[in-house]
Amino acid sequence: MEFPFDVDALFPERITVLDQHLRPPARRPGTTTPARVDLQQQIMTIIDELGKASAKAQNLSAPITSASRMQSNRHVVYILKDSSGRPAGKGAIIGFIKVGYKKLFVLDDREAHNEVEPLCILDFYIHESVQRHGHGRELFQYMLQKERVEPHQLAIDRPSQKLLKFLNKHYNLETTVPQVNNFVIFEGFFAHQHPPARKLPPKRAEGDIKPYSSSDREFLKVAVEPPWPLNRAPRRATPPAHPPPPSSSLGNSPERGPLRPFVPEQELLRSLRLCPPHPTARLLLAADPGGSPAQRRRTSSLPRSEESRY
């Protein structure tokens, strides 16, 4: 794959490793150095064109590798260049491989769920004109050594049939572990996990699931009585045949019965006058109907104005 700029000068080494920052690699001494912005723009152009070519080779609707995706994810891309043939003295790009670590939930051979974070093969492409020349194995082996992983420890995202045949031919990876996602892992994936795979607790049956914890259940056993008057339970007894008259006072306590109706003062005095005298009072009046002589003299000796006070 050729470009209108000098690829051989942009990538001094045969295989160049780029991260999300897409920084230009160190240049060889004695070479002219264009503006750094121009170098980064050239790198972004290469990655975009490689992503389009890979998507076309895999019959994908859209590229899964681009410069913008690289800058927004912690992925690493290995780019292989052709320095032997230099058309127009500018070099060419043979292919690339993109990898990155991802958190996955995968099934083992016993169909148990495991939470792992392996190195994943996210995209792999070698130009059609130079396939079956050993370039793919050279690039893949360089990546394994650089990342310090074994082939069976990898997880491959939606591999094509060409990639599966490539892994079977060069690394004897044939038996896969069925998964429910788009990733493919091979037999031996769980044998050398570093760090070891974290297994999730087994899913409990529906009948074992409780709506609250044991501590909550112990708390609910303690009956906490609310303050008065909220602690008065509503009475469910049948109402009496002749209910008492309603009270005219507002805000009465629930425990207190209804008050008697208000009696006017005149009616109260009338009832007192009609009330018969007590037997003891009758005896006192019979014994001294006019009161004592001293009391009568004291009353009669008073002036009329003083008598009017009484």
Side-chain angles (χ1 to χ4, degrees):
M1 182 178 291
E2 301 177 5
F3 294 90
F5 44 83
D6 194 347
V7 175
D8 192 42
L10 180 62
F11 296 145
E13 304 297 332
R14 178 170 172 80
I15 298 178
T16 301
V17 184
L18 298 174
D19 58 10
Q20 60 182 1
H21 302 290
L22 302 180
R23 294 192 182 97
R27 302 179 64 81
R28 295 172 182 174
T31 58
T32 58
T33 305
R36 192 174 186 86
V37 177
D38 295 339
L39 294 179
Q40 190 173 33
Q41 185 62 43
Q42 293 176 2
I43 292 176
M44 295 175 66
T45 301
I46 292 175
I47 293 177
D48 288 339
E49 293 301 322
L50 288 174
K52 294 177 183 178
S54 177
K56 183 179 179 180
Q58 300 180 62
N59 297 322
L60 301 178
S61 58
I64 58 177
T65 298
S66 64
S68 59
R69 287 176 176 266
M70 284 291 300
Q71 290 175 332
S72 59
N73 295 278
R74 300 178 62 87
H75 298 160
V76 177
V77 62
Y78 293 79
I79 299 178
L80 176 63
K81 76 169 187 177
D82 182 11
S83 57
S84 58
R86 296 171 55 86
K90 296 181 180 180
I93 299 296
I94 295 176
F96 78 102
I97 183 172
K98 185 177 70 172
V99 299
Y101 287 89
K102 285 183 172 293
K103 288 185 178 182
L104 303 175
F105 290 91
V106 296
L107 301 175
D108 55 19
D109 51 358
R110 294 174 295 179
E111 298 185 355
H113 287 82
N114 298 267
E115 183 182 3
V116 295
E117 191 173 3
L119 184 68
C120 302
I121 305 297
L122 304 175
D123 204 356
F124 187 27
Y125 170 73
I126 299 295
H127 195 268
E128 291 79 5
S129 62
V130 290
Q131 290 182 3
R132 300 183 182 276
H133 288 74
H135 300 302
R137 177 177 173 80
E138 177 188 2
L139 181 60
F140 202 92
Q141 191 64 30
Y142 183 88
M143 180 274 300
L144 293 177
Q145 295 176 358
K146 196 75 174 178
E147 299 291 340
R148 298 181 181 181
V149 295
E150 297 294 331
H152 59 267
Q153 295 178 307
L154 300 171
I156 299 93
D157 184 14
R158 291 173 292 187
S160 62
Q161 291 298 321
K162 285 186 177 181
L163 180 54
L164 293 176
K165 292 179 180 179
F166 171 85
L167 296 174
N168 184 21
K169 176 182 177 181
H170 297 289
Y171 300 101
N172 198 27
L173 297 178
E174 182 178 4
T175 305
T176 61
V177 181
Q179 302 297 318
V180 295
N181 50 30
N182 296 324
F183 285 84
V184 172
I185 60 175
F186 293 91
E187 186 179 7
F189 176 84
F190 297 98
H192 303 88
Q193 278 292 317
H194 184 75
R198 292 184 294 173
K199 293 189 176 182
L200 300 177
K203 184 179 180 180
R204 295 189 297 177
E206 293 294 335
D208 297 338
I209 300 177
K210 303 297 182 182
Y212 40 78
S213 62
S214 59
S215 60
D216 295 335
R217 291 195 295 271
E218 293 297 331
F219 171 76
L220 293 177
K221 290 180 181 179
V222 181
V224 180
E225 184 178 359
W228 182 89
L230 301 178
N231 59 353
R232 303 301 301 172
R235 299 180 179 178
R236 299 182 179 274
T238 58
H242 302 284
S247 174
S248 61
S249 177
L250 299 178
N252 290 331
S253 171
E255 287 186 343
R256 299 170 184 172
L259 297 177
R260 295 182 179 179
F262 177 75
V263 180
E265 183 178 359
Q266 294 178 357
E267 184 178 352
L268 179 59
L269 295 175
R270 188 182 304 111
S271 61
L272 291 176
R273 285 196 298 268
L274 297 177
C275 181
H278 197 270
T280 306
R282 292 178 180 177
L283 294 177
L284 293 176
L285 292 175
D288 189 8
S292 62
Q295 179 67 26
R296 287 197 301 270
R297 286 194 302 270
R298 187 165 50 251
T299 304
S300 59
S301 63
L302 289 176
R304 185 171 301 276
S305 60
E306 293 294 335
E307 290 180 359
S308 62
R309 296 183 185 179
Y310 296 93

